[in-house]
Structures are given as C-alpha cells and as structure tokens.
Amino acid sequence: MATDNQAPIDQPPLRSQSLLYGIVGQETRQVTRQVPADEPPQLPVNAELRSIGKPIRRLDAVQKVTGTAKYTFDVQLPGMLYARQVVCPWPHAKVISIDTSAAESYPGVRAVHVLETLLQTARLRDPEAEARNKYPTVRFAGQTVAAVAAETQRIADQAAKLVKVEYERLPHVSELVAAMDDEAPIVFPGPVEQPSTAGGGGAPEGLPQKGNVRGPNFGMPGMTPTGDIDQGLAEADVVVEAEYRTQVQTHVPMETHGIVADWRDDELTIYASTQHTHSVRDEAAEYFDLPKSKIRVISDFTGGGFGAKYGINNFGLLAIHLSQKAGAPVRMMLDRREEHVSAGNRPNSLQRVRIGAKQDGTLTAIDVISWGTGGIAGGAGIGFCYNALYPCPNMRTEQYDVFTNAGPCAAFRAPGQVQGIFSLEQAMDELADRLQLDPIMLRERIDTKPTDDMLARAHERKIAAERFGWDRRRPPNSDAGPVKRGMGMAQAQWVYVVSPPTTVEVRIADDGSVSVYNSAQDIGTGTRTVLAQVVAEEFGLDAENIGVYIGDTRFPWGPPSGGSRVTASVTAPARNAAYAAARDLAARLAPLFDDADPDDIFFAGGKVGVRGNEGAARPLKEAAKEAKFGEISKLAKRHDDYEGFVLSGETSISRHGLGGVQFAEVAVDVETGVVKVERVVAASDCGRPINPKLVESQVIGGIIQGVSYAIYEDRIMDATSGHQLNANVDQYRMVGSRETPEIEVLLIEQIGAQSSTDARGIAEASNVATSAAIANAFYNATGKRIRTLPMNPANVLAALSA
Amino acid sequence: MAESSRSHGPDGSVRSGISRRTFLKHGGTSAVGAALLEAGAAQAAVDSSMQDGANEVLGPGPIPIDLTINGRRVPVQAEPATTLVDILRNHLGLTGTKIGCDRGACSACTVWLDGQPASSCMTLALDARGRSITTIEGLADGDNLHPVQQAFVEHDALQCGFCTPGMVMSCAALINRKPDAGIEDVKAAISGHLCRCGTYPNIFAAVLAVASENRRRGT
Ligand code: FES
Ligand code: FES
C-alpha cells in the first residue's frame, strides 16, 4: 500500500458526554464518552431524522440506467491511443532478450515499452539473487513483459504479437500441495516480503521461509498463540478435528482493471478503475518521481473491484510510460483473460482444525494450521476469525503462504476471513452436533467477547432464526428421496475499520446551494448517496439537492474502498463539516430574522427560520441572496472514535467489529451431486444504517458472491502447462439469475456512540458466513460434511461417499 | 478490453491464411463472431463463397456502412470486420453499451436489433445494416425513462452499474414483448447476463413491479 497520508491527527480538547448506546428497538442505554469538543451533538435514532436512515434512491441511478455514467472503460480523449500488453506464455522463465523493432515499425504503432520493474508480486528480501538479470523474472503464465500503444486497439493487438521475446524456461509448480514438497521447483530463489494493500492481504515482514513455504505467520497483533494447546485438548470432553480445503476464486469485476494515462509536460492525469484514487496517485508519484501535486487521478465510476483494484499495477506502469513516450493519452484496459490471470484472486487454503470443548460447550482449545497459495504474492492466510469470534484460553492459528507459479492474489472481499469462517463455523456446527446442542444454543454460550458485534449477533440470531423458521429444522438426512433438503446457520465477524485522515469539504454557495467534496471513489456501494444524505440532514434539504463531487484527487483526501471503511470514514467528517457550515450559515442569516440568536435558526424543507416563530420561515435560496455572505467552505476530518482504536493510523481498527448471522436452506441431489441454495436469511448490522436500501443491496450482493464461491467458482490451473484453463466467464462458473436463491435481509440499527454518525461498513461482513451456512445446511440435508469447496458435483459426490 | 481483438490483422487477413476479404464475400453470413468460427467452418464458408461468384467483395479497408441507431440514420466508415459494439463505442461515442467479455458470454453489450436483444460484441456491424438498432442511450423517451429503467432506479437494481445497461435492455425487451411477465420470464430473460455485484433479486423485483403495474392497468 503506497499511500502514506499519515499526518498526525490533531487531538482537540475533549468533553465528557452522555450518549445513547445500543440496538434501537431492543436495549438502549446512556454511556459516558470523551468526545472531541468540536464534534456536533449526537444524532437521534434514525426514526427521528429526515434524510439519514431513509431508503432514498441512489443518486447516480439514473446515470447508470441510461448509460450516461462514464467509467474509465468509457473515457475517450482526443488523440487517445490504445495499448496492449505482451504477456509471457510460460509459467516460469528468465527473459533473455526482447526485440521490439518489428512492433515499433508497424504502421500505427506510436510507442513500445518494456517493463523494468514488476509490481504485484512478493519481493526478494535480498535482491542479489536476480540482480544481474536485465528483466524481471517471469513467474506465472500471463505475466506482463512489455506493451505497445497504437492508434487503434486492433493495431495494438497485432503489434503486441510482433514483440520478440527470448525466454529461458525454468521448472514450474502451480499447485498448492505440490509446491509444499521439499523437492518442488522453487518459485523465488530466496525469502520474500509482501506488504498488504488497503484491502488487506499481505503478510508481516521477516517471516522464515523454506522453499516455497513462508511462515509461520500468527496473524495480526493480538493473534499470538496463548495458553497450552495440548493441555486444552486434554481437558476437553469432545474434540472435533478435520481438514478443510477451499479453492482459488477470481474477482471478476464486470469492468476489468484499467487506466487511461495522459502525460503532459506539466501534469499527469490518470483515469483509473480503482478502489482508491489516492493509491493510484501515490504509486505514480513514487515510480515516476513526480510531485503528488502534479498528478491528478479521476474515477467517476468504478465497475466493481471487490478488493483487487489498488495502485497503478504493471499495466498502469506501462500505460504511463507509453503515454510519456508517445506524447498522447493511452488507454490500457485488461481483457477478460488478463483480468482472471493477472489482476488478483482469493488464495486457496488447506486448513487443519482441532477444537476441544467441555460438555456444556466451553471451549478449551482452538488449534488451526493453514497453508494457502496466492501465486507469486503473499497473503494467503485465513483471516482473524478464529481469534475474533469465540474466546478460548488455549489458542493457536498458524498460517503459511505457499508460493506457486500463478498470478498474484489480491485482497478479496474479507480476505482470509471467508476461508477461515468456512472451517470455523463448520467446526462449531460439528461441535454442537457432538454435544447435542442446538447450534444457536452453542453460540449463545461461546459468543461472549465484550464487543458491539457480539451484542449484534445475539440479537441477530433471534430475529433471523424466527424469520427463517429454524424451528422447522429436522435431524440430519431426514429426506428419503434423492433430493435432500436441509438448514444451516453460520456467524460472521469483520473488523470495523476507519481512515481518520479522511477530510471532507462542504461548501455553501451564495445562492444557498450546498455541495460536498471528497476524493473517495464509488465502486458501487453508494458513496455519493450517503454523503448527500448526511449533508442534507444538517440543512433540512433533500439529498438530491446536494451537489456531490467525488472520485478525484483534487478533492480532500478520501479513504480506500477496502476493509468496509468508506461509509464509516466519510460520513463523520461530512457531518462535522456540514454542521460547522450550517452553524456559520445560521450566524450569517440571523440578521435577517431580527438578529435572532443563531442557535435558534433552523433549516427545514428548503427553508430557514427561527424556532418559536416557524411561520416566518422563508426559502433558503431567497434568504441567502439577501444576506450576500459570499461562499462558505468548511473542511473537517474524522476524529478517532470516541473510545479510541486498538490500532491507530491511516487504517484505524476498533476493538468492536461487525457481526451478522446467516441461515441457509439447500437442496442436495445425492445422485447427481448438484447443490441448489434455495433460501438465505441474513441478519446484518452496520452501526447506524445511513441508507437501508443501499445496505440491503450490498448484503444481497455479498450473499450472492458467497453462494457463488460455495457452489460454483473455481480457478482451474493445468499443472503441466501452468495455464489457467478457465480464464473467461463462460467456463469460470458464477451465480446467474437462475442460481440466485431467495434472499431476505434483516437490518438492525446499532448505535455505537463512537462518532458523529455512528455509521459502519457492511460489504465484507455480508459475504463471510454464507459458505459455512450452506455447508452446515448440506450436513443437515445429507448427514455428511462437505469440507471441500466448491460444492460442485465432483466434490459433493466425494463427500457423500466418504 | 480488446474491443476488436479478433483473430485477424488490420490488413484484413486472418491467421489461418483465409483472408477476411474472401470470408466476407459471403456477405455477413450471420451474427456469429469470427473469433468463434472454427477453422473448418471458416473453410466451409470460403468454399461456398467460391461457388457464388456474384457476391460483392468488401474490404479489407474501411467501407461505408449505413446503420439506423436509435431512430436515426447513421452512416459510418469502418472495416468490414468491425463489430457493432466497436462502432457504437469507438466510432460513435455511444459508450453506454459495455463490454464484459467480448465473446458472447456476459451480455453486458446487449442492444436491440429490431426490438430483439442481441450481443453487440458478437454482431458484425455489417449484419446490422437494414435493422433498427436501439442502444441504452435510445431507450428513454427524452426525459421519460422507460418503465423498466424507472423501476431499476426505484428498486436499486444496480450497484456498480456496469452490467446495468445490458440488463435494462434485456428486461425492457421482455416487458415490451410480454407486459405481464412473471418471475421465470425475468430469470430467463437475464440468464445470460452476469452481474458480479449481485443485483439479481432487485432486478427481479423491479421488472415484476412493472409487470404487475401493467396487469393492473390491463395492458
Ligand atoms: S461483451 Fe458481449 S457478451 Fe460479453
Ligand atoms: S451492478 Fe455491478 S456488475 Fe452488475
């Protein structure tokens, strides 16, 4: 992660304040917190608000249904050239020589560039081993070597084939277990490092590495082993022990990765399909030695990302070089094959799990060891769910990265956690079964950490079980025929992350119209809409009346769309800025109301008035014109949470997390091995929902991705050639309309008393529990455990005959 | 994304040695993209065209192609191998039509040909001559959205929105064809469409809301 906006955040004086806390409609109480003195008063519950908490339409929906929303893919600039990468067909090779002359002289070609520095890869701790190589070593089939820019895409495609590259092939290994063998071909000639992106992934520095196996990694701070596993297992009445396997999943955003680079003498402009405009700017500055002030990154609309779209990437490096050489803008969009092969994936996993418990469910030991491969990148762990969900005195999660000759992994919607919860929540289901406890009852007993997400899950279990009809669940394998139905449940946990450097500007023009500015992009979550709703609340306006300007590094620093942090990060500063602007406006308009006390000035329904004399309220626009106050502009940041964070910095992490509980009903055809997910009920929490409709959309999307992962998706590598066999969307199977289950989302409103909006993210908490809920339903249907993903016919029939 | 990454060169030759010129003598046989033509099938096309000496020779350079797009006659100059989506996006700047796969597998590029949904990445512009082409830009009636567009907005049947134009075109075609469509009709209409954000349930709800409104009004 190249972004280094680590400016210390001013710590203003604090005031002690009593705040509402709890789940609205359930149990709420007052808590006392230390609140920065300049924070606005706490918002009341959503039912008492006008704009926040309302399921209004997405502000950019009309642009999206009429085709006027412009994605990076749609950017067309005068004189723009089209680029195509030259990629290596071999999974492991040394590049001996590159001859670009034929491509360069091809009519219509304007520039050719050979890649000198490879991004999106783990890096040798000691680069000496490859220091004398002229070009980066190729470590996966499809790795980029060079690129050409030409007047049309067709010419670029054709000219790319004319670049002659001489390779010296090296032995390769593309499969996890094979790569763990002591005799396996070595992917890197020495130990490597892999920093994480804003979306997660990566691994700590300095881990031991033997051959292709790097670790052990005990995960994030706070995950170091505790207690004594052997003793814990000895104390247990019941031990469940099993091996779980998950597959590699690719992100498949419908808009592929890409940028349009426009290098001018005085400024570099980059249009990027990205999850963080500033990460693109910062990497471009680093690799081209430019001041950040001379780089502008624009992302009006991003067609999905799911964790993989950060920074400039290899294709971006090439496009910027090509633009510089050609003196013209260059469009570089990956094609679908490149997207699958080189733009990121969720690593697979092999997990060995041992859990011990007393007869009453009390956990005595949790021991997990996992291996996974993220190809040539690290970050193949199984997240932090084992440590975050259920307290246990004796606990160890030991994780290993295994390098293979395959494309680099990238953060993918709840990196690691999706794999970890698949095994953890199945193990808990198995434990409940062995202890003859209802799985919900077991969770009641063991889900006890003093966090907001624990409280949320306790409530969610109740409401979701009732809506789902959990009491109709039958004993395992109750159906006599070949199609067996069953029900299962699983719990979710994800971190509550905030980027405190986030700064939002709110302006009031002299006609009283209001606009809001932040550089954050919208990848489909509704960033524009939630910003407008929060600002509108302070001015008594409708969200549609607020001008929202985002996705441009010319605006104040915005967070990455990663780690489910945007809403938490942008709404609090937006409210803080809007509140300050509205108070300023009130002071300037007070003279129009017989010099009323500005504190008595209110804004509602597009009007401004004085409390106590509501009848004299007048249109804001008219009052603004009369007051002639020029323009008001307020910038505000996101303070630390009122309780502080456990980890502070650009990515600040709360001790509280996000919960979520999902229930699934499946039908398993035991003759064909076909699994159909028929129904999912999800209860979800995201603090205070700013727009419940958009939250629900995201939860539905998370569940659908979870079903897709559980049943269909699977990157298939051919061991012999080292190529992905299904690098397209016809053979890489995903959920479509016919595979979509019936989905119901129950959303709670939880006030955490931590910020001026108390909003939290939802994206990742919504897809982590799905595959485990389905697997538990599979067990309930068939009486057999399915511990290998995806649940395709081959894996299902194998599980049934085990 | 390669918007025209067919297996042929800018000079009109294909790598199998069959020239695009010969192939196109056949006069735009079908909407099947050249990329998916097996060599054998291409050879068959050549053989049959050899026997048919009366066919006009097109290309390999740009030729005039007359299209009717969103009710307007649009003359363009393009190589005969150009796909319809390439024309729409790169010649005419109609970027509402997207490309998700460029090989007929995701339906992001759906437009209407004479009111029927078609994948514009798999349609040669030549084959769209004489047909009425409707793109997402031409679906609304001025500022009045098509009822399906309106329903997509109201039911939040979109997230990132990249698949949305294609989805809207297929759903609107369904409603035009079958105003009281049911859930199975909707699922079938978009079964070839991919949405990675997972908007399917909201799309179902949106289209069914239009259908039930139509039923109520007796259309
Ligand atoms: S782009 Fe035409 S079907 Fe995918
Ligand atoms: S809305 Fe993002 S792909 Fe469908």
Side-chain angles (χ1 to χ4, degrees), chain A residues 714-728:
Chain A
D714 196 4
R715 182 194 71 180
I716 299 168
M717 296 295 289
D718 176 50
T720 310
S721 67
H723 276 262
Q724 182 183 350
L725 295 177
N726 56 349
N728 50 55

Side-chain angles (χ1 to χ4, degrees), chain A residues 726-758:
Chain A
N726 56 349
N728 50 55
V729 288
D730 25 312
Q731 288 147 314
Y732 184 87
R733 294 200 61 209
M734 288 182 288
V735 165
S737 62
R738 293 186 200 274
E739 294 80 24
T740 298
E742 212 179 288
I743 298 173
E744 211 175 331
V745 178
L746 310 172
L747 182 60
I748 68 172
E749 179 179 344
Q750 186 175 27
I751 306 298
Q754 301 284 8
S755 77
S756 64
T757 59
D758 270 319

Side-chain angles (χ1 to χ4, degrees), chain A residues 254 303-304, chain B residues 158-164 167 194-199:
Chain A
M254 288 312 293
Chain B
L158 48 98
Q159 289 182 45
C160 80
F162 201 78
C163 72
T164 308
M167 290 280 191
L194 279 179
C195 173
R196 189 46 154 171
C197 299
T199 57

Side-chain angles (χ1 to χ4, degrees), chain A residues 232-580:
Chain A
L233 291 171
E235 285 167 7
D237 295 323
V238 171
V239 174
V240 293
E241 184 169 356
E243 195 169 283
Y244 297 84
R245 284 164 199 265
T246 64
Q247 78 283 34
V248 174
Q249 178 188 27
T250 55
H251 296 68
V252 202
M254 288 312 293
E255 181 188 33
T256 56
H257 280 68
I259 74 170
V260 177
D262 190 4
W263 181 290
R264 304 282 168 100
D265 288 342
D266 51 347
E267 192 185 63
L268 170 63
T269 305
I270 299 173
Y271 302 81
S273 181
T274 186
Q275 294 179 237
H276 196 200
T277 53
H278 273 90
S279 72
V280 178
R281 183 195 68 172
D282 294 353
E283 281 194 7
E286 181 182 344
Y287 290 102
F288 291 87
D289 196 22
L290 291 170
K292 292 180 184 180
S293 57
K294 296 288 185 189
I295 302 173
R296 179 183 187 192
V297 178
I298 300 169
S299 175
D300 281 345
F301 291 92
T302 292
F306 313 108
K309 287 181 175 168
Y310 291 102
I312 55 175
N313 303 291
N314 294 310
F315 63 83
L317 265 184
L318 287 165
I320 298 169
H321 276 296
L322 290 169
S323 176
Q324 188 181 14
K325 281 185 177 173
V330 171
R331 175 189 196 264
M332 169 81 85
M333 296 299 303
L334 299 191
D335 68 20
R336 186 54 65 191
R337 164 170 288 276
E338 291 171 318
E339 178 69 32
H340 276 288
V341 167
S342 67
N345 56 67
R346 181 191 298 286
N348 59 7
S349 71
L350 163 58
Q351 309 174 44
R352 297 201 177 120
V353 177
R354 292 192 295 172
I355 295 178
K358 295 279 201 195
Q359 201 55 52
D360 64 358
T362 306
L363 297 173
T364 60
I366 293 182
D367 185 27
V368 191
I369 178 164
S370 76
W371 297 266
T373 184
I376 62 163
I382 55 162
F384 40 82
C385 55
Y386 275 90
N387 301 68
L389 260 163
Y390 309 120
C392 174
N394 307 301
M395 160 116 60
R396 179 172 63 196
T397 52
E398 196 174 310
Q399 316 187 15
Y400 294 87
D401 269 310
V402 180
F403 296 101
T404 54
N405 294 108
C409 66
F412 193 163
R413 202 169 188 167
Q417 203 82 333
V418 164
Q419 300 95 294
I421 286 206
F422 174 67
S423 63
L424 169 63
E425 285 295 276
Q426 268 207 87
M428 288 303 158
D429 199 69
E430 190 171 354
L431 191 59
D433 200 59
R434 293 273 296 280
L435 297 171
Q436 296 186 325
L437 281 175
D438 184 291
I440 294 181
M441 177 56 70
L442 176 65
R443 288 353 184 264
E444 299 288 336
R445 293 187 185 170
I446 64 175
D447 189 355
T448 57
K449 282 208 170 167
T451 59
D452 291 355
D453 49 304
M454 177 275 289
L455 294 175
R457 279 188 300 270
H459 180 53
E460 288 160 349
R461 283 193 294 271
K462 281 196 205 84
I463 58 174
E466 194 185 312
R467 182 66 63 94
F468 182 73
W470 183 247
D471 54 359
R472 296 200 316 273
R473 192 173 79 121
R474 301 165 302 165
N477 196 19
S478 284
D479 283 317
V483 177
K484 299 181 186 296
R485 291 198 153 69
M487 296 177 166
M489 62 85 66
Q491 301 209 115
Q493 196 278 343
W494 184 249
V495 277
Y496 158 41
V497 182
V498 166
S499 282
T502 303
T503 308
V504 173
E505 181 180 5
V506 170
R507 286 188 206 158
I508 309 168
D510 60 1
D511 63 352
S513 64
V514 180
S515 51
V516 55
Y517 304 80
N518 181 263
S519 76
Q521 51 296 318
D522 187 350
I523 64 167
T525 55
T527 307
R528 284 181 178 84
T529 312
V530 297
L531 274 171
Q533 283 183 266
V534 168
V535 172
E537 187 73 45
E538 295 300 322
F539 293 95
L541 293 169
D542 290 335
E544 299 88 75
N545 301 133
I546 307 296
V548 186
Y549 300 92
I550 62 168
D552 188 334
T553 53
R554 283 191 176 168
F555 305 142
W557 194 91
S561 299
S564 304
R565 83 180 79 183
V566 171
T567 303
S569 300
V570 301
T571 58
R575 176 160 186 250
N576 298 352
Y579 178 80

Side-chain angles (χ1 to χ4, degrees), chain A residues 22 84 106 154 207 231 252 385 396 402 423 549 776 795:
Chain A
R84 176 59 60 211
Y106 194 77
R154 198 179 300 169
L207 295 178
Q231 194 188 325
V252 202
C385 55
R396 179 172 63 196
V402 180
S423 63
Y549 300 92
N776 292 338
N795 287 333

